mmCIF file of all heavy atoms in Angstrom:
data_model
loop_
_atom_site.group_PDB
_atom_site.id
_atom_site.type_symbol
_atom_site.label_atom_id
_atom_site.label_comp_id
_atom_site.label_asym_id
_atom_site.label_seq_id
_atom_site.Cartn_x
_atom_site.Cartn_y
_atom_site.Cartn_z
ATOM 1 N N TRP V 1 123.070 81.532 88.557
ATOM 2 C CA TRP V 1 122.317 82.748 88.825
ATOM 3 C C TRP V 1 121.940 82.841 90.294
ATOM 4 O O TRP V 1 122.068 83.967 90.796
ATOM 5 C CB TRP V 1 120.992 82.637 87.978
ATOM 6 C CG TRP V 1 120.077 83.853 88.134
ATOM 7 C CD1 TRP V 1 118.949 83.907 88.860
ATOM 8 C CD2 TRP V 1 120.307 85.250 87.710
ATOM 9 N NE1 TRP V 1 118.394 85.178 88.800
ATOM 10 C CE2 TRP V 1 119.262 86.020 88.160
ATOM 11 C CE3 TRP V 1 121.345 85.814 86.973
ATOM 12 C CZ2 TRP V 1 119.112 87.370 87.822
ATOM 13 C CZ3 TRP V 1 121.257 87.177 86.652
ATOM 14 C CH2 TRP V 1 120.142 87.944 87.153
ATOM 15 N N ARG V 2 121.487 81.766 90.853
ATOM 16 C CA ARG V 2 121.175 81.829 92.271
ATOM 17 C C ARG V 2 122.414 82.090 93.166
ATOM 18 O O ARG V 2 122.347 82.888 94.085
ATOM 19 C CB ARG V 2 120.521 80.539 92.706
ATOM 20 C CG ARG V 2 120.006 80.462 94.122
ATOM 21 C CD ARG V 2 119.324 79.150 94.413
ATOM 22 N NE ARG V 2 119.033 78.953 95.810
ATOM 23 C CZ ARG V 2 118.572 77.834 96.355
ATOM 24 N NH1 ARG V 2 118.303 76.820 95.535
ATOM 25 N NH2 ARG V 2 118.328 77.753 97.639
ATOM 26 N N LEU V 3 123.476 81.395 92.800
ATOM 27 C CA LEU V 3 124.711 81.672 93.509
ATOM 28 C C LEU V 3 125.213 83.103 93.336
ATOM 29 O O LEU V 3 125.801 83.697 94.269
ATOM 30 C CB LEU V 3 125.810 80.690 93.112
ATOM 31 C CG LEU V 3 125.578 79.173 93.562
ATOM 32 C CD1 LEU V 3 126.614 78.319 92.931
ATOM 33 C CD2 LEU V 3 125.706 79.186 95.103
ATOM 34 N N GLY V 4 125.022 83.617 92.119
ATOM 35 C CA GLY V 4 125.409 84.957 91.855
ATOM 36 C C GLY V 4 124.681 85.996 92.688
ATOM 37 O O GLY V 4 125.224 86.984 93.191
ATOM 38 N N LEU V 5 123.344 85.762 92.903
ATOM 39 C CA LEU V 5 122.549 86.581 93.754
ATOM 40 C C LEU V 5 123.061 86.590 95.171
ATOM 41 O O LEU V 5 123.217 87.620 95.844
ATOM 42 C CB LEU V 5 121.098 86.218 93.695
ATOM 43 C CG LEU V 5 120.274 86.533 92.409
ATOM 44 C CD1 LEU V 5 118.943 85.871 92.444
ATOM 45 C CD2 LEU V 5 120.207 88.034 92.196
ATOM 46 N N ALA V 6 123.328 85.367 95.636
ATOM 47 C CA ALA V 6 123.843 85.253 96.991
ATOM 48 C C ALA V 6 125.225 85.893 97.179
ATOM 49 O O ALA V 6 125.535 86.549 98.152
ATOM 50 C CB ALA V 6 124.024 83.779 97.379
ATOM 51 N N ARG V 7 126.064 85.728 96.114
ATOM 52 C CA ARG V 7 127.367 86.341 96.141
ATOM 53 C C ARG V 7 127.179 87.891 96.101
ATOM 54 O O ARG V 7 127.950 88.596 96.778
ATOM 55 C CB ARG V 7 128.217 85.919 94.940
ATOM 56 C CG ARG V 7 129.618 86.456 94.813
ATOM 57 C CD ARG V 7 130.498 85.854 95.812
ATOM 58 N NE ARG V 7 131.756 86.622 95.923
ATOM 59 C CZ ARG V 7 132.726 86.312 96.727
ATOM 60 N NH1 ARG V 7 132.646 85.268 97.528
ATOM 61 N NH2 ARG V 7 133.820 87.057 96.767
ATOM 62 N N GLY V 8 126.265 88.324 95.285
ATOM 63 C CA GLY V 8 126.020 89.802 95.244
ATOM 64 C C GLY V 8 125.559 90.346 96.590
ATOM 65 O O GLY V 8 126.035 91.507 97.015
ATOM 66 N N ALA V 9 124.700 89.627 97.265
ATOM 67 C CA ALA V 9 124.245 90.088 98.625
ATOM 68 C C ALA V 9 125.423 90.194 99.571
ATOM 69 O O ALA V 9 125.572 91.120 100.376
ATOM 70 C CB ALA V 9 123.176 89.109 99.125
ATOM 71 N N MET V 10 126.337 89.200 99.472
ATOM 72 C CA MET V 10 127.476 89.155 100.367
ATOM 73 C C MET V 10 128.430 90.367 100.013
ATOM 74 O O MET V 10 128.979 90.964 100.911
ATOM 75 C CB MET V 10 128.311 87.850 100.209
ATOM 76 C CG MET V 10 129.357 87.756 101.246
ATOM 77 S SD MET V 10 130.473 86.282 100.887
ATOM 78 C CE MET V 10 131.309 86.976 99.476
ATOM 79 N N GLU V 11 128.653 90.615 98.719
ATOM 80 C CA GLU V 11 129.515 91.710 98.249
ATOM 81 C C GLU V 11 128.925 93.046 98.786
ATOM 82 O O GLU V 11 129.721 93.916 99.337
ATOM 83 C CB GLU V 11 129.612 91.777 96.747
ATOM 84 C CG GLU V 11 130.306 90.617 96.082
ATOM 85 C CD GLU V 11 131.840 90.810 96.019
ATOM 86 O OE1 GLU V 11 132.297 91.830 96.581
ATOM 87 O OE2 GLU V 11 132.494 89.985 95.462
ATOM 88 N N LEU V 12 127.630 93.252 98.694
ATOM 89 C CA LEU V 12 126.989 94.475 99.191
ATOM 90 C C LEU V 12 127.159 94.567 100.744
ATOM 91 O O LEU V 12 127.396 95.647 101.246
ATOM 92 C CB LEU V 12 125.552 94.501 98.783
ATOM 93 C CG LEU V 12 125.292 94.758 97.315
ATOM 94 C CD1 LEU V 12 123.854 94.472 96.939
ATOM 95 C CD2 LEU V 12 125.631 96.242 96.968
ATOM 96 N N LYS V 13 126.964 93.494 101.403
ATOM 97 C CA LYS V 13 127.050 93.461 102.871
ATOM 98 C C LYS V 13 128.514 93.870 103.281
ATOM 99 O O LYS V 13 128.730 94.693 104.170
ATOM 100 C CB LYS V 13 126.670 92.167 103.449
ATOM 101 C CG LYS V 13 126.697 92.032 104.987
ATOM 102 C CD LYS V 13 126.323 90.688 105.444
ATOM 103 C CE LYS V 13 124.907 90.340 105.029
ATOM 104 N NZ LYS V 13 124.458 89.004 105.602
ATOM 105 N N LEU V 14 129.506 93.273 102.588
ATOM 106 C CA LEU V 14 130.920 93.613 102.937
ATOM 107 C C LEU V 14 131.176 95.059 102.600
ATOM 108 O O LEU V 14 131.898 95.760 103.327
ATOM 109 C CB LEU V 14 131.865 92.678 102.115
ATOM 110 C CG LEU V 14 131.822 91.194 102.550
ATOM 111 C CD1 LEU V 14 132.692 90.406 101.546
ATOM 112 C CD2 LEU V 14 132.378 91.063 103.959
ATOM 113 N N PHE V 15 130.657 95.504 101.466
ATOM 114 C CA PHE V 15 130.848 96.908 101.084
ATOM 115 C C PHE V 15 130.302 97.943 102.127
ATOM 116 O O PHE V 15 131.059 98.867 102.560
ATOM 117 C CB PHE V 15 130.223 97.215 99.708
ATOM 118 C CG PHE V 15 130.253 98.653 99.263
ATOM 119 C CD1 PHE V 15 131.424 99.208 98.791
ATOM 120 C CD2 PHE V 15 129.091 99.397 99.454
ATOM 121 C CE1 PHE V 15 131.483 100.578 98.458
ATOM 122 C CE2 PHE V 15 129.131 100.739 99.024
ATOM 123 C CZ PHE V 15 130.317 101.295 98.558
ATOM 124 N N PHE V 16 129.043 97.738 102.532
ATOM 125 C CA PHE V 16 128.464 98.637 103.461
ATOM 126 C C PHE V 16 128.984 98.476 104.903
ATOM 127 O O PHE V 16 128.744 99.397 105.696
ATOM 128 C CB PHE V 16 126.909 98.496 103.377
ATOM 129 C CG PHE V 16 126.331 99.065 102.192
ATOM 130 C CD1 PHE V 16 125.875 98.263 101.192
ATOM 131 C CD2 PHE V 16 126.244 100.498 102.041
ATOM 132 C CE1 PHE V 16 125.238 98.842 100.037
ATOM 133 C CE2 PHE V 16 125.667 101.047 100.935
ATOM 134 C CZ PHE V 16 125.160 100.206 99.923
ATOM 135 N N ARG V 17 129.649 97.492 105.162
ATOM 136 C CA ARG V 17 130.296 97.340 106.473
ATOM 137 C C ARG V 17 131.553 98.227 106.632
ATOM 138 O O ARG V 17 131.981 98.550 107.715
ATOM 139 C CB ARG V 17 130.685 95.875 106.780
ATOM 140 C CG ARG V 17 129.502 94.992 107.219
ATOM 141 C CD ARG V 17 129.915 93.600 107.471
ATOM 142 N NE ARG V 17 128.831 92.774 107.975
ATOM 143 C CZ ARG V 17 128.931 91.444 108.165
ATOM 144 N NH1 ARG V 17 130.060 90.841 107.900
ATOM 145 N NH2 ARG V 17 127.868 90.739 108.550
ATOM 146 N N GLN V 18 132.115 98.543 105.442
ATOM 147 C CA GLN V 18 133.410 99.389 105.446
ATOM 148 C C GLN V 18 132.937 100.855 105.344
ATOM 149 O O GLN V 18 132.753 101.363 104.253
ATOM 150 C CB GLN V 18 134.264 98.979 104.300
ATOM 151 C CG GLN V 18 134.667 97.530 104.367
ATOM 152 C CD GLN V 18 135.523 97.069 103.189
ATOM 153 O OE1 GLN V 18 136.429 97.738 102.785
ATOM 154 N NE2 GLN V 18 135.144 95.918 102.553
ATOM 155 N N ARG V 19 132.711 101.450 106.470
ATOM 156 C CA ARG V 19 132.125 102.799 106.480
ATOM 157 C C ARG V 19 132.956 103.827 105.745
ATOM 158 O O ARG V 19 132.445 104.723 105.071
ATOM 159 C CB ARG V 19 131.850 103.228 107.955
ATOM 160 C CG ARG V 19 130.843 102.348 108.666
ATOM 161 C CD ARG V 19 130.621 102.874 110.040
ATOM 162 N NE ARG V 19 129.589 102.028 110.787
ATOM 163 C CZ ARG V 19 129.263 102.212 112.010
ATOM 164 N NH1 ARG V 19 129.748 103.269 112.716
ATOM 165 N NH2 ARG V 19 128.365 101.366 112.564
ATOM 166 N N GLU V 20 134.271 103.755 105.960
ATOM 167 C CA GLU V 20 135.157 104.705 105.285
ATOM 168 C C GLU V 20 135.048 104.627 103.759
ATOM 169 O O GLU V 20 134.967 105.605 103.070
ATOM 170 C CB GLU V 20 136.625 104.457 105.694
ATOM 171 C CG GLU V 20 136.909 104.717 107.149
ATOM 172 C CD GLU V 20 136.614 103.557 108.051
ATOM 173 O OE1 GLU V 20 136.094 102.548 107.471
ATOM 174 O OE2 GLU V 20 136.827 103.647 109.248
ATOM 175 N N GLN V 21 135.014 103.347 103.258
ATOM 176 C CA GLN V 21 134.859 103.176 101.773
ATOM 177 C C GLN V 21 133.510 103.694 101.275
ATOM 178 O O GLN V 21 133.446 104.292 100.202
ATOM 179 C CB GLN V 21 134.982 101.713 101.437
ATOM 180 C CG GLN V 21 134.946 101.401 99.992
ATOM 181 C CD GLN V 21 135.071 99.942 99.641
ATOM 182 O OE1 GLN V 21 135.318 99.109 100.530
ATOM 183 N NE2 GLN V 21 134.983 99.599 98.400
ATOM 184 N N VAL V 22 132.457 103.446 102.044
ATOM 185 C CA VAL V 22 131.108 103.923 101.625
ATOM 186 C C VAL V 22 131.085 105.428 101.575
ATOM 187 O O VAL V 22 130.585 105.993 100.612
ATOM 188 C CB VAL V 22 130.062 103.415 102.609
ATOM 189 C CG1 VAL V 22 128.694 104.034 102.352
ATOM 190 C CG2 VAL V 22 129.984 101.912 102.604
ATOM 191 N N VAL V 23 131.617 106.093 102.590
ATOM 192 C CA VAL V 23 131.634 107.566 102.668
ATOM 193 C C VAL V 23 132.448 108.064 101.474
ATOM 194 O O VAL V 23 132.038 109.044 100.765
ATOM 195 C CB VAL V 23 132.218 108.058 104.019
ATOM 196 C CG1 VAL V 23 132.398 109.589 103.923
ATOM 197 C CG2 VAL V 23 131.267 107.701 105.114
ATOM 198 N N PHE V 24 133.599 107.506 101.256
ATOM 199 C CA PHE V 24 134.490 107.960 100.150
ATOM 200 C C PHE V 24 133.783 107.795 98.828
ATOM 201 O O PHE V 24 133.788 108.662 97.923
ATOM 202 C CB PHE V 24 135.823 107.249 100.156
ATOM 203 C CG PHE V 24 136.722 107.607 99.062
ATOM 204 C CD1 PHE V 24 137.522 108.782 99.173
ATOM 205 C CD2 PHE V 24 136.797 106.885 97.895
ATOM 206 C CE1 PHE V 24 138.377 109.144 98.114
ATOM 207 C CE2 PHE V 24 137.630 107.277 96.853
ATOM 208 C CZ PHE V 24 138.413 108.433 96.945
ATOM 209 N N THR V 25 133.180 106.644 98.585
ATOM 210 C CA THR V 25 132.601 106.286 97.297
ATOM 211 C C THR V 25 131.487 107.259 96.980
ATOM 212 O O THR V 25 131.446 107.773 95.842
ATOM 213 C CB THR V 25 132.003 104.850 97.305
ATOM 214 O OG1 THR V 25 133.100 103.909 97.548
ATOM 215 C CG2 THR V 25 131.325 104.536 96.037
ATOM 216 N N PHE V 26 130.598 107.581 97.918
ATOM 217 C CA PHE V 26 129.459 108.439 97.627
ATOM 218 C C PHE V 26 129.707 109.895 97.796
ATOM 219 O O PHE V 26 129.124 110.681 97.195
ATOM 220 C CB PHE V 26 128.219 107.982 98.512
ATOM 221 C CG PHE V 26 127.711 106.629 98.175
ATOM 222 C CD1 PHE V 26 127.854 105.564 99.069
ATOM 223 C CD2 PHE V 26 127.141 106.328 96.953
ATOM 224 C CE1 PHE V 26 127.376 104.276 98.756
ATOM 225 C CE2 PHE V 26 126.640 105.088 96.603
ATOM 226 C CZ PHE V 26 126.767 104.049 97.498
ATOM 227 N N ALA V 27 130.660 110.238 98.723
ATOM 228 C CA ALA V 27 130.898 111.647 98.945
ATOM 229 C C ALA V 27 131.840 112.258 97.963
ATOM 230 O O ALA V 27 131.787 113.488 97.705
ATOM 231 C CB ALA V 27 131.466 111.810 100.386
ATOM 232 N N PHE V 28 132.795 111.473 97.410
ATOM 233 C CA PHE V 28 133.840 112.007 96.539
ATOM 234 C C PHE V 28 133.259 112.775 95.366
ATOM 235 O O PHE V 28 133.595 113.914 95.145
ATOM 236 C CB PHE V 28 134.790 110.880 96.114
ATOM 237 C CG PHE V 28 135.871 111.368 95.200
ATOM 238 C CD1 PHE V 28 137.063 111.803 95.834
ATOM 239 C CD2 PHE V 28 135.856 111.280 93.813
ATOM 240 C CE1 PHE V 28 138.115 112.266 95.046
ATOM 241 C CE2 PHE V 28 136.873 111.764 93.068
ATOM 242 C CZ PHE V 28 138.045 112.227 93.680
ATOM 243 N N PRO V 29 132.375 112.205 94.547
ATOM 244 C CA PRO V 29 131.808 112.947 93.423
ATOM 245 C C PRO V 29 130.937 114.135 93.883
ATOM 246 O O PRO V 29 130.935 115.082 93.157
ATOM 247 C CB PRO V 29 130.998 111.944 92.633
ATOM 248 C CG PRO V 29 130.619 110.835 93.620
ATOM 249 C CD PRO V 29 131.787 110.790 94.569
ATOM 250 N N ILE V 30 130.232 114.045 94.982
ATOM 251 C CA ILE V 30 129.433 115.138 95.440
ATOM 252 C C ILE V 30 130.282 116.306 95.863
ATOM 253 O O ILE V 30 129.985 117.468 95.579
ATOM 254 C CB ILE V 30 128.500 114.645 96.559
ATOM 255 C CG1 ILE V 30 127.449 113.658 96.054
ATOM 256 C CG2 ILE V 30 127.869 115.872 97.281
ATOM 257 C CD1 ILE V 30 126.555 113.138 97.093
ATOM 258 N N VAL V 31 131.452 116.004 96.614
ATOM 259 C CA VAL V 31 132.327 117.042 97.032
ATOM 260 C C VAL V 31 132.922 117.740 95.821
ATOM 261 O O VAL V 31 133.021 118.931 95.754
ATOM 262 C CB VAL V 31 133.414 116.486 97.879
ATOM 263 C CG1 VAL V 31 134.523 117.543 98.171
ATOM 264 C CG2 VAL V 31 132.809 116.035 99.274
ATOM 265 N N PHE V 32 133.355 116.984 94.834
ATOM 266 C CA PHE V 32 133.920 117.570 93.608
ATOM 267 C C PHE V 32 132.909 118.348 92.845
ATOM 268 O O PHE V 32 133.256 119.377 92.257
ATOM 269 C CB PHE V 32 134.568 116.449 92.743
ATOM 270 C CG PHE V 32 136.049 116.276 92.984
ATOM 271 C CD1 PHE V 32 136.502 115.823 94.239
ATOM 272 C CD2 PHE V 32 136.964 116.537 92.002
ATOM 273 C CE1 PHE V 32 137.877 115.669 94.457
ATOM 274 C CE2 PHE V 32 138.316 116.373 92.214
ATOM 275 C CZ PHE V 32 138.734 115.943 93.482
ATOM 276 N N LEU V 33 131.669 117.863 92.800
ATOM 277 C CA LEU V 33 130.641 118.629 92.162
ATOM 278 C C LEU V 33 130.419 119.968 92.806
ATOM 279 O O LEU V 33 130.315 120.992 92.154
ATOM 280 C CB LEU V 33 129.364 117.822 92.118
ATOM 281 C CG LEU V 33 128.032 118.588 91.683
ATOM 282 C CD1 LEU V 33 128.204 119.106 90.270
ATOM 283 C CD2 LEU V 33 126.842 117.635 91.851
ATOM 284 N N PHE V 34 130.384 119.918 94.117
ATOM 285 C CA PHE V 34 130.179 121.185 94.892
ATOM 286 C C PHE V 34 131.358 122.174 94.618
ATOM 287 O O PHE V 34 131.135 123.372 94.422
ATOM 288 C CB PHE V 34 130.071 120.846 96.378
ATOM 289 C CG PHE V 34 130.022 122.103 97.224
ATOM 290 C CD1 PHE V 34 128.843 122.812 97.309
ATOM 291 C CD2 PHE V 34 131.146 122.548 97.971
ATOM 292 C CE1 PHE V 34 128.797 124.012 98.078
ATOM 293 C CE2 PHE V 34 131.052 123.659 98.707
ATOM 294 C CZ PHE V 34 129.848 124.437 98.785
ATOM 295 N N LEU V 35 132.596 121.637 94.633
ATOM 296 C CA LEU V 35 133.755 122.566 94.388
ATOM 297 C C LEU V 35 133.763 123.156 93.005
ATOM 298 O O LEU V 35 133.861 124.338 92.824
ATOM 299 C CB LEU V 35 135.040 121.730 94.619
ATOM 300 C CG LEU V 35 135.318 121.290 96.065
ATOM 301 C CD1 LEU V 35 136.555 120.443 96.109
ATOM 302 C CD2 LEU V 35 135.502 122.497 96.935
ATOM 303 N N PHE V 36 133.562 122.321 91.945
ATOM 304 C CA PHE V 36 133.558 122.842 90.617
ATOM 305 C C PHE V 36 132.362 123.701 90.334
ATOM 306 O O PHE V 36 132.496 124.749 89.597
ATOM 307 C CB PHE V 36 133.671 121.678 89.627
ATOM 308 C CG PHE V 36 135.029 121.115 89.439
ATOM 309 C CD1 PHE V 36 135.455 120.005 90.175
ATOM 310 C CD2 PHE V 36 135.950 121.693 88.586
ATOM 311 C CE1 PHE V 36 136.722 119.481 89.972
ATOM 312 C CE2 PHE V 36 137.246 121.205 88.396
ATOM 313 C CZ PHE V 36 137.592 120.065 89.117
ATOM 314 N N ALA V 37 131.225 123.311 90.810
ATOM 315 C CA ALA V 37 130.001 124.167 90.605
ATOM 316 C C ALA V 37 130.159 125.519 91.316
ATOM 317 O O ALA V 37 129.573 126.533 90.815
ATOM 318 C CB ALA V 37 128.769 123.411 91.104
ATOM 319 N N SER V 38 130.818 125.563 92.441
ATOM 320 C CA SER V 38 130.970 126.782 93.212
ATOM 321 C C SER V 38 131.984 127.687 92.477
ATOM 322 O O SER V 38 131.809 128.926 92.471
ATOM 323 C CB SER V 38 131.437 126.509 94.594
ATOM 324 O OG SER V 38 130.450 125.713 95.314
ATOM 325 N N ILE V 39 133.037 127.087 91.951
ATOM 326 C CA ILE V 39 134.134 127.880 91.349
ATOM 327 C C ILE V 39 133.695 128.339 89.922
ATOM 328 O O ILE V 39 133.923 129.482 89.529
ATOM 329 C CB ILE V 39 135.393 127.087 91.175
ATOM 330 C CG1 ILE V 39 135.928 126.732 92.654
ATOM 331 C CG2 ILE V 39 136.468 127.819 90.466
ATOM 332 C CD1 ILE V 39 137.038 125.755 92.650
ATOM 333 N N PHE V 40 133.062 127.427 89.187
ATOM 334 C CA PHE V 40 132.742 127.720 87.801
ATOM 335 C C PHE V 40 131.151 127.678 87.635
ATOM 336 O O PHE V 40 130.677 126.907 86.756
ATOM 337 C CB PHE V 40 133.373 126.739 86.833
ATOM 338 C CG PHE V 40 134.845 126.557 87.053
ATOM 339 C CD1 PHE V 40 135.356 125.442 87.622
ATOM 340 C CD2 PHE V 40 135.702 127.595 86.579
ATOM 341 C CE1 PHE V 40 136.745 125.340 87.781
ATOM 342 C CE2 PHE V 40 137.063 127.495 86.730
ATOM 343 C CZ PHE V 40 137.552 126.345 87.352
ATOM 344 N N GLY V 41 130.453 128.443 88.387
ATOM 345 C CA GLY V 41 128.978 128.323 88.340
ATOM 346 C C GLY V 41 128.326 129.301 87.443
ATOM 347 O O GLY V 41 127.053 129.454 87.541
ATOM 348 N N ASP V 42 129.030 130.089 86.688
ATOM 349 C CA ASP V 42 128.446 131.130 85.837
ATOM 350 C C ASP V 42 127.578 130.548 84.729
ATOM 351 O O ASP V 42 127.706 129.395 84.313
ATOM 352 C CB ASP V 42 129.534 132.019 85.214
ATOM 353 C CG ASP V 42 130.375 132.722 86.271
ATOM 354 O OD1 ASP V 42 129.785 132.919 87.410
ATOM 355 O OD2 ASP V 42 131.581 133.013 86.047
ATOM 356 N N ASP V 43 126.752 131.442 84.142
ATOM 357 C CA ASP V 43 125.945 131.032 82.967
ATOM 358 C C ASP V 43 126.880 130.837 81.797
ATOM 359 O O ASP V 43 127.860 131.494 81.594
ATOM 360 C CB ASP V 43 125.028 132.209 82.582
ATOM 361 C CG ASP V 43 123.908 132.348 83.687
ATOM 362 O OD1 ASP V 43 123.675 131.391 84.419
ATOM 363 O OD2 ASP V 43 123.249 133.419 83.673
ATOM 364 N N MET V 44 126.473 129.807 81.003
ATOM 365 C CA MET V 44 127.248 129.525 79.742
ATOM 366 C C MET V 44 126.505 130.205 78.622
ATOM 367 O O MET V 44 125.383 129.817 78.294
ATOM 368 C CB MET V 44 127.358 128.067 79.497
ATOM 369 C CG MET V 44 128.159 127.371 80.541
ATOM 370 S SD MET V 44 128.501 125.580 80.239
ATOM 371 C CE MET V 44 126.826 124.930 80.290
ATOM 372 N N ALA V 45 127.100 131.272 78.067
ATOM 373 C CA ALA V 45 126.371 132.154 77.066
ATOM 374 C C ALA V 45 125.759 131.340 75.957
ATOM 375 O O ALA V 45 126.447 130.493 75.306
ATOM 376 C CB ALA V 45 127.343 133.165 76.566
ATOM 377 N N GLY V 46 124.541 131.614 75.616
ATOM 378 C CA GLY V 46 123.880 130.989 74.472
ATOM 379 C C GLY V 46 123.457 129.566 74.626
ATOM 380 O O GLY V 46 122.985 128.953 73.734
ATOM 381 N N THR V 47 123.537 129.067 75.878
ATOM 382 C CA THR V 47 123.220 127.546 76.026
ATOM 383 C C THR V 47 121.960 127.443 76.908
ATOM 384 O O THR V 47 121.368 126.301 76.923
ATOM 385 C CB THR V 47 124.361 126.898 76.731
ATOM 386 O OG1 THR V 47 124.525 127.384 78.104
ATOM 387 C CG2 THR V 47 125.677 127.012 75.947
#
């Protein structure tokens, strides 16, 4: 458990050091949400 916590801290540090991966990971669903919500943003009748 203790080693797992240390390993997790290292995994997070390595992840956040890779800026391109961080941007892609967090921006990808937001960009897609913006696109689909902008294209299909109408009211859904009766809902």
Side-chain angles (χ1 to χ4, degrees):
W1 178 254
R2 183 178 171 186
L3 287 172
L5 288 174
R7 181 75 192 178
M10 188 192 73
E11 292 275 4
L12 287 166
K13 186 180 295 184
L14 291 174
F15 172 79
F16 284 107
R17 281 180 178 175
Q18 302 176 47
R19 295 182 181 178
E20 296 85 355
Q21 181 181 358
V22 172
V23 172
F24 179 83
T25 298
F26 293 114
F28 183 83
I30 291 177
V31 169
F32 265 64
L33 170 59
F34 175 76
L35 290 175
F36 280 96
S38 299
I39 297 170
F40 308 106
D42 298 335
D43 292 340
M44 297 186 294
T47 66

